[in-house]
Amino acid sequence: MASQNIYILGIESSCDDTAASVIHNGKILSNIVASQKIHEQYGGVVPELASRAHQQNIVPVVDQALKIAGITKAELSAVAFTKGPGLMGSLLVGTSFAKSLAFGLKIPLIDVNHMQAHILAHFIEEEGFNTPPFPFLAMTISGGHTQIVKVKNHFDMEVIGQTIDDAVGEAFDKSGKTLGLGYPAGPKIDKLAKLGNPKAYPFTKPRVDGLNFSFSGFKTAVLYFIQKQVKLNPNFIEENLNDICASIQYTIIGILTDKLKLAVKQTGITHIAIGGGVSANTGIRQALKEGEAKHGWTTYVPKFEFTTDNAAMIAIVGYLKFLEGNFATQNVMANSRLKL
Ligand code: KG4
Ligand code: ZN
């Protein structure tokens, strides 16, 4: 099958990035993302503005993906798109576009689960990056997601832990907002944390049973702590910013690694793959390396451009589903709460 020339166009529009990618038999030829800057001034994604920006971006983004891949629409074997989960208005733009394009070109349409795509991004053929063997544990951590998934096969996955409130990226972003760091604050906290003492301010980790996570109490604890300290010393944040960031990051990483350790213990699986924007974090990468040495884990982190929201991960799922002849009909609908 791989000797055939299969070209899949992947389209991702679940949140605030309009993205398109072309994959040729497992190898990415182009991966275009138009990030929507408009949300920065609001400190978070505004759904209605996101849908409008997707409408403006989708045609040029798809055009560019085809151009960089060096192919024409007529050469496409199928169109894959994100069906969900995500923001309904945003999903509708990608879904309608993909349906019309596949219909016009008379080629198969493939619906993709965004959460599955974050995990299957590990199967993109990329030099220097290994593919995890089945079964493995996948931890998807971003501004919208926090999940631990037992992956038995490409399309046989079981969520064994997830957040009951905020996502881990929100814990970074909302704590950062309290510190006046702007949005998104995750990368800034990461940078400043390198210069601080992670044990300067011991924040308590939330107690959540099993493999589930909770981050909303942590965010509030940071807010109350800062408010209290600023009352005592108005310059508290400026004078201690590095230590505060290091302590926040240390606590969040501790929450994630505690659950990973438990997941490994419960399942006996030691291959761990991470994905999502937060996997760029230096602290989590270091913790995974330590887990390799201390607990015998083998860890997998995809190329950065395949960890944040992107269309290459949609294209790889499209390719894998194409090989199985697993297509959608024109009646397929976006589903903002699609489950794994
Ligand atoms: O996957 P992503 O680009 O978008 C979605 O949320 O789906 O992830 C963005 C999130 C934001 O919350 C951002 O603050 C966080 O990932 N992030 C980081 C780092 N880089 C991005 N958090 C901590 N450390 C980083 N280096
Ligand atoms: Zn995502």
Side-chain angles (χ1 to χ4, degrees), residues 162-185:
Q162 61 194 327
T163 182
I164 55 169
D165 41 57
D166 290 354
V168 60
E170 285 178 279
F172 274 104
D173 294 337
K174 290 178 179 171
S175 309
K177 198 173 174 184
T178 303
L179 300 172
L181 292 179
Y183 171 86

Side-chain angles (χ1 to χ4, degrees), residues 320-327:
L320 294 168
K321 281 187 140 182
F322 188 92
L323 295 180
E324 296 196 346
N326 187 348
F327 304 136

Side-chain angles (χ1 to χ4, degrees), residues 12 14-15 85 114-115 118 140 142-145 276-277 307-310 313:
E12 154 64 31
S14 65
C15 190
H114 180 94
M115 299 310 295
H118 267 300
T140 309
S142 77
H145 339 289
T307 64
T308 53
D309 281 353
N310 67 89
M313 67 183 195

